[in-house]
């Protein structure tokens, strides 16, 4: 990274992040809502390099997420704009920040955008990735007698509300012929879920890598049911509609979307290198991050009809379970303006 870009990349501290989250929550409580999608909105025209250099792109991230990945893949070099990073515990608070305009773009799992869409939040999906779901897991302690999901009937299951793990739990319950009311769902942040499983406050914990790998390695947690063959394995980059309407910010978002796609491709073919960077960034053991790097390989994809169709099924399931007021057309959340750029970046143009 050049000295110029090193100076321009800034990470918010705890107080700034707390203020950001507070502003997002206040905005959510204000009752102000905007249109759900810009998929049919006009895309701003190109900007000059001088104007792009004036942009500070506000990017939402999760633990050892995009910032670490871009650095590992060398995609953080020679940025034509500045980046201001903010870290969130999971997708739902990140989306709240995007809805309030506190961030411009961020990366989340497959479920948070559905909750945002149900709330008519002014955000859009602008790119996607997919993996096979092996690292998405319903975990139990190593001494748990449970061998099937039905063994958890009447038991406490910890999960982050509105997260991809929440969607995984709902699909798993449906598959097992259980209703959400058949178990005691405890909504907790990922770090609290780990503690709850470890100390016995929860009988099971639904989460994703690297938390899955860490729990396996550190406390001997056992995967009762993985997401493989059940979840769609999608991840999304989401952007504020207001940010997408600004020419300079739109150009910066396209650039980071393309860099993200290239970084995902790099991580798929450099798993050992990615595991080492991940371990250094998170302080997780190299054994845990190696499992994560090899098991949860993300591949960049375009926002095709399969993405929309599989996400619509999850949307319908969340509505049927009463987790969102009603189903809606998932396609209205999708903005295709960067599809061609992503396709070119991953060699599928």
């Amino acid at each position: 990274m050049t000295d110029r870009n090193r100076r321009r990349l800034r990470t918010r501290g705890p107080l700034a992040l707390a203020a950001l989250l507070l502003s997002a929550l206040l905005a959510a409580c204000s009752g102000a809502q905007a249109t759900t999608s810009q998929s049919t909105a006009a895309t701003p025209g190109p900007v000059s390099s001088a104007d792009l250099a004036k942009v500070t792109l506000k990017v939402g991230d999760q633990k050892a997420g995009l910032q670490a990945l871009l650095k590992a893949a060398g995609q953080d070099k020679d940025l034509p704009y500045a980046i201001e990073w903010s870290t969130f515990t999971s997708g739902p608070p990140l989306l709240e920040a995007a809805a309030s305009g506190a961030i411009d773009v961020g990366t989340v799992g497959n479920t948070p955008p559905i909750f945002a869409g149900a709330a008519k939040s002014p955000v859009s999906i602008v790119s996607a990735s997919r993996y096979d779901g092996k690292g998405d897991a319903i975990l139990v302690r190593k001494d748990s007698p449970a061998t099937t999901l039905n063994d958890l009937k009447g038991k406490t299951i910890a999960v982050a509300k509105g997260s991809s793990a929440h969607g995984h739990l709902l699909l798993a319950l449906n598959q097992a012929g259980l209703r959400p009311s058949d178990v005691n769902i405890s909504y907790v942040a990922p770090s609290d879920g780990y503690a709850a499983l470890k100390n016995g406050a929860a009988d099971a914990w639904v989460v994703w890598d690297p938390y899955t790998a860490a729990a396996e390695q550190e406390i001997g947690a056992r995967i009762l049911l993985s997401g493989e063959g059940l979840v769609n394995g999608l991840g999304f980059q989401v952007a504020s509609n207001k940010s997408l309407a600004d020419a300079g910010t739109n150009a910066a978002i396209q650039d980071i979307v393309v860099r993200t796609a290239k970084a995902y491709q790099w991580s798929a073919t450099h798993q050992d290198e990615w595991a080492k960077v991940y371990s250094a960034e998170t302080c997780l053991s190299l054994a845990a991050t190696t499992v994560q790097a090899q098991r949860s390989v993300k591949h960049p994809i375009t926002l095709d009809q399969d993405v929309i169709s599989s996400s619509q099924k999850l949307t319908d399931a969340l509505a049927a379970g009463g987790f969102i007021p009603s189903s809606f057309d998932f396609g209205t959340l999708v903005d295709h303006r960067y599809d061609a750029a992503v396709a070119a970046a991953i060699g599928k143009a």
Side-chain angles (χ1 to χ4, degrees):
M1 182 187 298
T2 64
D3 290 340
R4 173 175 175 267
N5 282 322
R6 187 175 289 109
R7 288 194 300 270
R8 302 182 81 200
L9 282 168
R10 306 191 299 277
T11 303
R12 293 185 176 183
L15 291 177
L17 179 56
L20 182 151
L21 288 171
L22 178 60
S23 65
L25 290 171
L26 289 174
C29 292
S30 69
Q33 294 181 342
T35 55
T36 59
S37 175
Q38 285 210 349
S39 58
T40 59
T43 302
V47 298
S48 67
S49 57
D51 285 338
L52 185 56
K54 298 175 184 177
V55 174
T56 296
L57 189 67
K58 296 174 291 184
V59 184
D61 201 11
Q62 297 185 50
K63 185 177 181 180
L66 183 58
Q67 185 177 14
L69 178 61
L70 293 178
K71 178 181 178 181
Q75 288 295 327
D76 63 336
K77 296 179 172 62
D78 301 318
L79 290 165
Y81 48 87
I83 292 184
E84 186 174 86
W85 294 95
S86 297
T87 303
F88 298 86
T89 58
S90 60
L94 187 153
L95 272 160
E96 288 178 347
S100 73
I103 63 171
D104 300 308
V105 64
T107 305
V108 299
N110 62 354
T111 306
I114 296 174
F115 280 83
K120 303 187 186 302
S121 295
V123 295
S124 295
I125 292 168
V126 295
S127 74
S129 64
R130 189 192 294 274
Y131 72 113
D132 61 17
K134 290 179 181 178
D136 291 352
I138 299 177
L139 295 169
V140 294
R141 291 187 302 281
K142 58 183 177 181
D143 59 352
S144 171
T147 58
T148 70
L149 195 59
N150 277 279
D151 294 328
L152 295 179
K153 191 171 183 179
K155 304 295 185 180
T156 298
I157 302 178
V159 67
K161 188 174 184 178
S163 67
S164 60
H166 193 179
H168 177 196
L169 175 59
L170 175 61
L171 293 174
L173 290 172
N174 286 347
Q175 184 183 64
L178 298 173
R179 298 168 297 178
S181 58
D182 289 328
V183 296
N184 176 28
I185 300 177
S186 176
Y187 294 119
V188 297
S191 58
D192 295 326
Y194 179 97
L197 183 68
K198 182 179 179 180
N199 64 28
D203 300 286
W205 178 35
V206 193
V207 76
W208 57 89
D209 270 334
Y211 298 104
T212 300
E216 289 178 293
Q217 297 285 331
E218 296 170 6
I219 61 174
R222 173 167 55 88
I223 295 179
L224 181 70
L225 181 68
S226 83
E228 186 177 17
L230 181 61
V231 302
N232 59 25
L234 292 170
F236 296 116
Q237 274 181 302
V238 295
S240 158
N241 287 352
K242 182 178 180 180
S243 300
L244 291 171
D246 178 81
T249 308
N250 172 69
I253 293 173
Q254 175 168 320
D255 181 80
I256 202 167
V257 162
V258 169
R259 289 172 185 266
T260 301
K262 292 179 178 178
Y264 280 143
Q265 287 190 313
W266 175 89
S267 67
T269 56
H270 297 77
Q271 295 174 1
D272 290 342
E273 293 174 57
W274 174 220
K276 290 176 182 177
V277 172
Y278 210 102
S279 177
E281 292 290 330
T282 61
C283 296
L284 292 172
S285 70
L286 181 59
T289 59
T290 297
V291 169
Q292 185 270 343
Q294 295 176 351
R295 179 170 61 192
S296 297
V297 180
K298 295 182 179 180
H299 301 279
I301 58 175
T302 55
L303 292 164
D304 59 19
Q305 187 56 47
D306 180 62
V307 169
I308 295 173
S309 296
S310 61
S311 298
Q312 187 64 56
K313 291 179 181 178
L314 180 56
T315 303
D316 295 342
L318 286 167
F323 292 102
I324 58 176
S326 62
S327 189
F328 60 92
D329 182 0
F330 182 87
T332 62
L333 303 180
V334 178
D335 191 314
H336 293 279
R337 69 179 65 188
Y338 306 134
D339 280 2
V342 170
I346 64 178
K348 294 186 178 181

